Amino acid sequence: MRSDQMKKGVTRAPHRSLFKAMGYTDEELARPIIGVASSANEVIPGHVHLDKVVEAVKAGIRMAGGTPMTFATIGICDGIAMGHQGMKYSLGSRELIADSVEVMAMAYPFDGIVMVPNCDKIIPGMMMAAARLNIPVIVVSGGPMLAGECCGQTIDLISVFEAVGKVSTGEFTGEELKQYEDTACPGAGSCSGMFTANSMNALTEALGLALPGNGTIPAVMAARLRLAKASGMQIVHLVEKGITPDKILTKSAFLNAVTVDMAFGGSTNTALHLPAIAHEAGVALPLNTFQEISNRTPHLCNLSPGGPHHIQDLDRAGGIYALMNTLFAHGLIDEKALTVSGHPLSQELPHYNVLDTSIIRPFESPYHATGGLAVLKGNLAPNGSVVKQSAVDPSMRHHKGPAKVFNSEEEAVDAILGGKIAKGDVIVIRYEGPKGGPGMREMLSPTSAIAGMGLDKDVALLTDGRFSGGTRGASIGHISPEAAQGGPIAVVQDGDEIEIDIENKRLTLVLPDSEIAERLRSWTPLPPKITKGYMARYAKIVESADSGAVFKD
């Protein structure tokens, strides 16, 4: 066993003595040692209950004959970090989480690891570590939050963000906003729409790193604890069978994941995280792959923010495996891909059928003929940009308008709430990319303000930063190269005409190439926004968004 390095033989008597200081017995130390990486904390609603999930995982490990040992990782709630300096640190935390799991798994040579994350950067950070370490791993998350109820409506966190915009227009009173604030997030779990956390939890199933149900079973359900126990038992079997991530995280697994992503209309952030995980696994997953798969994959689920349904509805309709079975029946899933069940998908998917075709539509009657995300290129985004096209109103799929340019999110929000944005405008927020931000902040505040003010069918927003999975409207992010790298977005001026053409996958600054080139020759970057600490170091070594914002090799 891998753990023999720290527990077996005469020379390891001091090591065993230290374990015994924590109460471990000889019998426990003789068993497979399973690390349990937990991001439980009291600052994220998706994590506040993870201690109970961890206890269930540990019970499963013990039932299967292993010995669990828990350790912690950090975690950031993007919703709470949103709109202020804290959001600069969110994406950067992904690399810290991956590094912390790697460090613990190398210092303590566990035989396997159960990863217990929930929420935006923690899930991909742990999966990056899984690919890097290549020891048996299984992921079991804390599960999604239930949707809230207010005034006869089903609401979620995005409803509150958009209500802020409605207050600024007088459509909502402060009292109505307070009602939304008090009811939108009813308890523990990752926010209830197909936002980034739930997109990534769903993709743990599609990648084969989690058992069925991991992406959709609500946090408050007893089934979540049963899944945790089953995952704890299964990791011991994975250790016994020698099933490691390199056998699971193959090219086929990543193509399956992108296909599922397109079918359920996931967050644009998946176009950052899947390539980053693939990078750790030694698999190439360029941004173009997302568009190629989107072209052939119908959009079958319409969950918040693009539609009326929530994750609990998807779970009731059969979950991710039911959706995958639909795609599999039409030749869009590689059924040979191995999963942590120890079996290929071909043996698992036939057991999962769609139970509600209003939630998971039949292949022949999709919400949209193509996938939930689109990759746009053009002279404004030579290396690409990403839009959640399933959440764009049809009237905005082709739009041309004058640019309103801002060098930070705060400047843009002040202008939006201050009534300085007119119908038809194209808001450009730059110097918010991985380097320029630094940290590529999510911008739910400006997009929610636009939607709340009723402008989401009239105003577009472009950025080298990124958007929350809760964003809707013509919001195009990940523009690469970013402004801090001298991309064309750096030289856009107020009044320049910008054309968005989602159907033809084009993003165009309507200027002669010679004019753009002349502006770039005289361009100088803004000074760094953070000059010390982790994010200053991060800005020096992070790659662009189209690469997944990974660190330079």
Side-chain angles (χ1 to χ4, degrees):
M1 291 188 290
R2 186 172 183 267
S3 61
D4 287 349
Q5 299 174 54
M6 64 179 175
K7 69 181 186 182
K8 191 172 183 180
V10 173
T11 60
R12 295 297 180 256
H15 305 64
R16 293 191 295 273
S17 181
L18 290 168
F19 279 118
K20 290 176 178 178
M22 294 179 275
Y24 292 105
T25 66
D26 287 329
E27 290 77 11
E28 287 175 301
L29 294 177
R31 297 171 182 169
I33 305 297
I34 308 298
V36 182
S38 168
S39 52
N41 60 56
E42 297 181 351
V43 294
I44 308 177
H47 294 62
V48 72
H49 67 304
L50 288 189
D51 55 338
K52 297 179 177 61
V53 178
V54 166
E55 287 305 314
V57 167
K58 292 164 68 177
I61 292 169
R62 292 189 181 105
M63 284 191 286
T67 297
M69 296 183 180
T70 306
F71 64 93
T73 70
I74 62 169
I76 291 176
C77 173
D78 280 17
I80 295 173
M82 194 76 64
H84 59 85
Q85 185 83 348
M87 180 49 75
K88 293 180 182 291
Y89 290 79
S90 175
L91 182 59
S93 73
R94 185 187 71 180
E95 270 59 32
L96 280 175
I97 291 162
D99 289 351
S100 68
V101 175
E102 175 198 357
V103 165
M104 289 297 291
M106 296 307 293
Y108 297 85
F110 303 118
D111 297 301
I113 300 181
V114 180
M115 297 180 169
V116 188
N118 222 25
C119 299
D120 297 31
K121 309 308 164 299
I122 301 93
I123 304 159
M126 287 197 184
M127 286 199 286
M128 289 167 68
R132 187 185 301 172
L133 290 164
N134 201 37
I135 62 175
V137 163
I138 192 167
V139 178
V140 56
S141 76
M145 186 185 293
L146 295 176
E149 299 285 339
C150 185
C151 307
Q153 294 182 320
T154 301
I155 63 173
D156 54 39
L157 178 66
I158 306 310
S159 308
V160 188
F161 272 97
E162 294 185 359
V164 173
K166 293 178 180 179
V167 169
S168 69
T169 64
E171 183 181 344
F172 260 36
T173 64
E175 183 178 336
E176 288 172 313
L177 176 62
K178 181 67 161 56
Q179 287 181 315
Y180 268 44
E181 175 186 328
D182 290 345
T183 57
C185 300
S190 49
C191 297
S192 58
M194 191 53 85
F195 314 141
T196 305
N198 290 326
S199 296
M200 291 308 302
N201 271 331
L203 293 179
T204 62
E205 294 187 49
L207 283 168
L209 283 181
L211 295 176
N214 185 57
T216 59
I217 297 172
V220 297
M221 300 297 188
R224 174 62 52 182
L225 298 181
R226 294 197 296 272
L227 177 69
K229 290 178 182 178
S231 299
M233 296 178 71
Q234 186 61 19
I235 188 63
V236 179
H237 300 322
L238 293 177
V239 170
E240 292 169 349
K241 295 176 182 177
I243 297 177
T244 46
D246 64 328
K247 298 178 175 66
I248 295 172
L249 294 177
T250 61
K251 182 74 170 183
S252 291
F254 285 101
L255 298 182
N256 284 345
V258 176
T259 300
V260 174
D261 186 15
M262 296 303 154
F264 64 50
S267 164
T268 53
N269 285 313
T270 60
L272 282 175
H273 300 321
L274 284 176
I277 299 165
H279 176 77
E280 296 289 353
V283 174
L285 191 65
L287 195 55
N288 288 343
T289 302
F290 286 75
Q291 188 56 59
E292 292 166 3
I293 292 178
S294 180
N295 289 340
R296 63 175 183 257
T297 307
H299 177 219
L300 301 178
C301 301
N302 203 21
L303 285 79
S304 176
H309 306 130
H310 291 82
I311 301 298
Q312 66 206 56
D313 301 314
L314 179 57
D315 186 64
R316 177 172 52 81
I320 298 303
Y321 266 43
L323 173 62
M324 290 179 72
N325 196 17
T326 299
L327 298 167
F328 165 59
H330 290 82
L332 294 182
I333 294 292
D334 185 343
E335 73 278 11
K336 297 186 295 296
L338 184 66
T339 78
V340 290
S341 69
H343 305 126
L345 284 170
S346 59
Q347 294 184 32
E348 299 292 326
L349 294 181
H351 301 296
Y352 296 87
N353 297 311
V354 175
L355 305 178
D356 188 338
T357 55
S358 70
I359 307 298
I360 304 174
R361 283 196 174 179
F363 195 88
E364 298 76 18
S365 55
Y367 287 99
H368 303 95
T370 58
L373 302 185
V375 176
L376 310 186
K377 289 190 174 183
N379 66 356
L380 188 52
N383 294 348
S385 62
V386 183
V387 61
K388 190 170 186 174
Q389 63 177 346
S390 60
V392 178
D393 188 83
S395 66
M396 289 296 289
R397 293 180 72 84
H398 185 273
H399 179 78
K400 185 184 290 186
K404 291 283 184 70
V405 183
F406 305 94
N407 287 334
S408 71
E409 178 187 3
E410 289 84 357
E411 294 174 27
V413 171
D414 289 345
I416 294 165
L417 296 179
K420 296 178 181 178
I421 303 300
K423 289 185 176 182
D425 283 348
V426 178
I427 300 169
V428 176
I429 305 177
R430 62 192 179 195
Y431 291 101
E432 290 288 6
K435 288 183 178 294
M440 204 179 181
R441 284 194 288 183
E442 278 187 353
M443 294 185 217
L444 185 55
S445 295
T447 58
S448 296
I450 289 168
M453 296 169 74
L455 292 172
D456 56 301
K457 297 179 182 179
D458 302 287
V459 171
L461 197 156
L462 314 181
T463 182
D464 54 6
R466 61 194 177 95
F467 294 113
S468 162
T471 289
R472 61 186 175 96
S475 302
I476 301 166
H478 305 202
I479 290 177
S480 302
E482 63 176 290
Q485 289 182 313
I489 191 174
V491 296
V492 179
Q493 297 176 4
D494 282 340
D496 286 346
E497 196 168 49
I498 293 174
E499 183 176 11
I500 300 162
D501 186 352
I502 293 177
E503 296 299 332
N504 293 303
K505 312 300 182 285
R506 300 295 297 172
L507 185 60
T508 305
L509 177 59
V510 186
L511 285 175
D513 290 344
S514 58
E515 171 66 17
I516 297 173
E518 178 58 34
R519 290 185 187 183
L520 286 170
R521 277 193 291 271
S522 58
W523 166 81
T524 55
L526 294 180
K529 295 177 181 176
I530 296 178
T531 57
K532 62 181 180 180
Y534 173 67
M535 289 311 295
R537 298 196 303 273
Y538 177 92
K540 293 177 181 178
I541 58 176
V542 70
E543 299 276 18
S544 64
D546 61 288
S547 72
V550 298
F551 283 167
K552 295 176 183 176
D553 288 329

